[in-house]
Amino acid sequence: MLRKRSQMNRLLPLCLLVAALLLTACGGEVNLLDETKLRDISLMTGEPCEAPCWQGITPDETSYRDAKLIIEGDERFKIVEEPEPQEDSLARSFTFAEGENPGCCQVVSRDGENVSSFLLQTAPVMTFGPVYDRYGEPNYAIGQQVSEEQGYVALMYTERSLVIYAFVANPAGGSLATDSPIIGLLHLGASELQQLLECTSLFEWAGFTSFTSYSGEDYNYVGEGVGDEEACPTN
């Protein structure tokens, strides 16, 4: 059903907004095709496990402690930040990097016990075509323009609790294509996925089409909670 964009909730629920902020960085010149990010092609190979699992970490199944041990036990990675939990909050998170590069990836636990989601910012070493061949069509999509030269389309695979970020050059005239580089992955637990679907205005998958087809004012799928500040907080 086609509906106008909600004034209360523009594009993204909390979990996807956090990912977007990390992808676009904090200040300075934005470069979504960042070679210092995670060089990982396991989404294409399925090794050592397939989405929603990555390197033995699966949202809702892997404990926060075990996820941290997995990253610490892999010589490719190092944890670069783990903030102290906020007062009256169980939530925990840590950011890790590959080698001596800046932090690329974040693991989050909402309850302090189990992983609820994790974001991987990736170097442009995969393109969407092989991933499409392996996983098929996504369910939903939404485009985000970052600058005149750069944008991305977030592609949601609901059965795999996965969001894939595909880069689009020149968003005003560009298109999503099989050779669009993948620049990020967001793996979600059940509650995070539910919030995304309830609190986001999305486009149903319409194939490899123009960026503007996934970034206009009207949506053909609107989550049931869009506009409900209590159910879908914007902060």
Side-chain angles (χ1 to χ4, degrees):
M1 177 174 63
L2 189 66
R3 289 169 55 182
K4 284 286 186 180
R5 174 171 57 188
S6 164
Q7 296 300 314
M8 302 297 295
N9 242 336
R10 290 185 59 206
L11 295 177
L12 307 171
L14 179 60
C15 59
L16 200 53
L17 177 60
V18 170
L21 289 173
L22 287 171
L23 282 166
T24 55
C26 299
E29 184 177 351
V30 174
N31 176 24
L32 296 182
L33 299 177
D34 190 342
E35 295 288 349
T36 71
K37 301 306 182 185
L38 182 67
R39 304 187 69 82
D40 184 276
I41 61 170
S42 60
L43 190 66
M44 293 193 306
T45 66
E47 297 295 336
C49 56
E50 290 196 340
C53 174
W54 177 79
Q55 300 298 322
I57 302 172
T58 303
D60 291 342
E61 296 182 13
T62 306
S63 71
Y64 180 83
R65 177 181 180 275
D66 285 347
K68 188 176 175 182
L69 288 174
I70 288 172
I71 297 302
E72 289 177 330
D74 192 320
E75 62 182 13
R76 294 174 296 171
F77 308 127
K78 68 174 182 180
I79 294 176
V80 294
E81 184 179 14
E82 186 175 17
E84 289 293 325
Q86 295 184 0
E87 187 176 356
D88 300 325
S89 174
L90 298 174
R92 302 178 65 185
S93 68
F94 67 84
T95 300
F96 66 94
E98 185 174 36
E100 298 303 315
N101 290 323
C104 63
C105 311
Q106 186 179 61
V107 176
V108 176
S109 171
R110 298 295 181 194
D111 61 7
E113 295 293 332
N114 294 313
V115 172
S116 54
S117 65
F118 57 91
L119 172 71
L120 308 175
Q121 292 176 263
T122 59
V125 293
M126 293 186 290
T127 57
F128 185 50
V131 174
Y132 180 88
D133 291 341
R134 186 178 188 92
Y135 296 104
E137 296 182 346
N139 301 94
Y140 306 110
I142 189 74
Q144 181 74 27
Q145 184 167 347
V146 175
S147 67
E148 289 186 4
E149 296 81 21
Q150 299 181 87
Y152 61 84
V153 178
L155 302 153
M156 291 97 184
Y157 284 82
T158 58
E159 290 186 1
R160 292 187 177 271
S161 297
L162 175 68
V163 181
I164 296 173
Y165 297 87
F167 177 85
V168 177
N170 181 29
S175 299
L176 180 69
T178 56
D179 62 354
S180 295
I182 293 174
I183 57 171
L185 308 169
L186 180 64
H187 296 246
L188 301 165
S191 62
E192 303 282 334
L193 177 65
Q194 181 179 1
Q195 184 192 35
L196 186 154
L197 294 176
E198 289 183 352
C199 300
T200 314
S201 301
L202 300 168
F203 295 91
E204 293 179 349
W205 171 249
F208 294 92
T209 185
S210 67
F211 175 86
T212 56
S213 295
Y214 290 124
S215 60
E217 292 284 324
D218 297 320
Y219 302 93
N220 52 22
Y221 172 87
V222 180
E224 294 181 359
V226 169
D228 185 336
E229 287 187 285
E230 183 174 350
C232 302
T234 56
N235 294 308

